[in-house]
Amino acid sequence: MMKTHMIKLVLGLASATLLVILMLFIFFYRKRRVRNGREDVEDTDLKDGDEAEMEDLITFYGGEDLTISDILDAPGEVIGKSNFGTLYKALMQQSNKLRLLRFLRPVCSARGEEFGEVIRLLGCVRHPNLVPLLGFYAGPRGEKLLVHPFYRHGNLAEFIRDGNGESHKWANIYSISIGIAKGLEHLHTGMHKPIIHGNIKSRNILLDRNYQAFISDFGLHLLLNATAGQEMLEASAAEGYRAPELIKMKDASEESDIYSFGVILLELLSGKEPINQDPTPDEDFYLPNFMRNAVLGHRIADIFHPGILVSNMHDGRREVTEESILKFFRLAMSCCSPSPSLRPNIKQVIWKLEDIGK
């Protein structure tokens, strides 16, 4: 009888120990998937029966210090969301560097060998006015994560509309414009094959402390499937950046990129948003149309922010003339031509900007 009780006691203790071990395993497994409140919601898109993929990390120039554990354990803060993924600001523990992490939902990502080829292509793109891809992580359940540098001074949309006066200084307007143009030139002409951005807008232009411009998200549409790419295009249209001839994202072109760039130039010049949510009877919904009507109505004061002339006085002299401002305006409007064939190419844009800057 005593032996029977001892056996039951030992079996009970063993069962309890196994239960504790099992609970600890589940706890640490869940902890790995939930990082400081950042649950990989994207991996829930994996359907039952789908095969798990190999976990992998590819690093590019500038991202050699990245590791899988450092990426997954980094404390993160959500700074943006879209239908196809989530954007985080994260602090890498090993290097103590802030990075921008973009999770792509597996259900929205393109599949096959072409995806890997695009990643390797984007990882090789380097230019002083382009946000580089530092690394790419692929998780076992289809998670995909792009790693970029983090720019502390925000994006161009915030800069234009924060009202601090710096956005009205001609030196900043010109520097940002020529920086975007040079970055776009590298995408269109500096590679073996042109890379179409496909989603140029002021929120995708990041700034450093000296107001130098860095184009982000170039080629991102190439990593998405057709449905997600179309949703990106529809969002661009709703924000006022889509070229009128562009119906499907797969048809995005150098000319449609130029149109979106022209809208940004008009934003910089006028301080207005691309879409007027509450137009008066005399105003138009879209910024390029508003500007055309302003010219036809001889409302020259409407085409640029008055602070541009006021903020550019030095020793009693203006650092920019109305002639230069009007040349800048004409360039912006030519980029926004309804006809793609009438828009300048990016090299012509740079020539004209350099002439304005003389």
Side-chain angles (χ1 to χ4, degrees):
M1 183 65 71
M2 181 66 71
K3 289 183 178 179
T4 302
H5 284 302
M6 287 296 293
I7 291 172
K8 290 182 177 180
L9 180 61
V10 170
L11 289 176
L13 290 172
S15 299
T17 302
L18 287 173
L19 181 60
V20 170
I21 292 173
L22 180 61
M23 291 177 68
L24 287 172
F25 175 80
I26 293 173
F27 172 78
F28 284 110
Y29 177 76
R30 289 294 299 169
K31 185 177 180 182
R32 179 173 177 80
R33 292 184 58 196
V34 183
R35 306 290 179 181
N36 298 282
R38 186 177 76 234
E39 184 169 5
D40 293 337
V41 294
E42 289 78 8
D43 69 5
T44 60
D45 295 317
L46 193 67
K47 304 291 189 301
D48 291 339
D50 286 355
E51 293 184 4
E53 301 176 12
M54 293 292 292
E55 188 176 44
D56 192 19
L57 173 65
I58 304 173
T59 60
F60 303 103
Y61 180 76
E64 296 87 350
D65 59 344
L66 294 171
T67 65
I68 291 177
S69 60
D70 204 17
I71 291 172
L72 297 181
D73 290 330
E77 173 189 347
V78 175
I79 59 174
K81 282 191 175 185
S82 64
N83 289 336
F84 51 84
T86 307
L87 199 62
Y88 297 92
K89 177 177 73 174
L91 179 64
M92 300 292 108
Q93 300 295 290
Q94 293 185 20
S95 62
N96 199 36
K97 294 178 180 177
L98 280 173
R99 297 300 188 202
L100 203 60
L101 308 183
R102 180 185 292 281
F103 282 93
L104 298 180
R105 296 179 61 210
V107 73
C108 296
S109 302
R111 295 180 178 272
E113 294 181 2
E114 186 177 344
F115 186 95
E117 292 174 1
V118 173
I119 285 293
R120 287 187 286 274
L121 171 64
L122 298 181
C124 293
V125 177
R126 290 296 182 273
H127 185 273
N129 296 108
L130 297 175
V131 175
L133 177 62
L134 303 179
F136 170 73
Y137 167 77
R141 292 182 58 82
E143 314 97 294
K144 293 177 173 62
L145 168 66
L146 309 176
V147 185
H148 302 279
F150 179 78
Y151 295 83
R152 296 175 183 270
H153 290 264
N155 62 59
L156 182 57
E158 297 167 343
F159 173 71
I160 291 174
R161 285 173 266 282
D162 70 0
N164 68 0
E166 289 294 322
S167 63
H168 303 148
K169 292 184 177 179
W170 181 252
N172 292 336
I173 293 172
Y174 183 79
S175 174
I176 291 169
S177 302
I178 197 76
I180 300 171
K182 288 182 176 180
L184 201 54
E185 179 192 32
H186 186 73
L187 292 176
H188 286 182
T189 68
M191 311 290 292
H192 178 68
K193 182 180 178 182
I195 296 178
I196 306 304
H197 190 293
N199 193 29
I200 295 178
K201 54 187 175 183
S202 55
R203 284 199 292 117
N204 284 342
I205 307 299
L206 306 183
L207 303 175
D208 68 8
R209 66 179 64 188
N210 298 314
Y211 305 113
Q212 295 299 307
F214 302 86
I215 303 175
S216 71
D217 288 13
F218 54 87
L220 182 60
H221 66 100
L222 300 173
L223 299 174
L224 303 176
N225 59 33
T227 300
Q230 195 63 24
E231 289 176 352
M232 174 186 283
L233 180 60
E234 290 170 2
S236 176
E239 294 174 289
Y241 294 97
R242 190 196 69 181
E245 76 279 3
L246 188 56
I247 306 302
K248 295 183 178 181
M249 179 58 88
K250 66 182 182 64
D251 297 324
S253 64
E254 295 172 41
E255 290 80 10
S256 61
D257 276 355
I258 291 293
Y259 181 92
S260 303
F261 173 62
V263 175
I264 290 178
L265 295 183
L266 292 178
E267 282 186 86
L268 280 165
L269 196 59
S270 68
K272 301 180 186 296
E273 297 194 32
I275 293 283
N276 186 346
Q277 300 291 352
D278 190 25
T280 67
D282 296 328
E283 296 178 338
D284 196 274
F285 194 67
Y286 294 101
L287 183 56
N289 293 342
F290 171 87
M291 292 299 195
R292 290 189 189 97
N293 292 337
V295 172
L296 293 173
H298 303 286
R299 302 192 311 272
I300 304 302
D302 284 347
I303 70 175
F304 63 89
H305 195 285
I308 292 177
L309 290 177
V310 175
S311 300
N312 290 278
M313 298 290 292
H314 183 71
D315 293 335
R317 298 177 58 188
R318 285 199 179 107
E319 295 181 348
V320 61
T321 63
E322 287 193 25
E323 180 184 2
S324 295
I325 294 174
L326 292 175
K327 284 183 177 179
F328 187 94
F329 170 74
R330 285 194 290 269
L331 173 59
M333 292 304 294
S334 67
C335 291
C336 292
S337 171
S339 173
S341 63
L342 296 179
R343 297 171 200 155
N345 62 42
I346 193 59
K347 286 190 177 295
Q348 292 171 328
V349 168
I350 291 177
W351 292 337
K352 291 181 180 180
L353 281 174
E354 289 176 342
D355 180 63
I356 292 170
K358 290 179 181 178

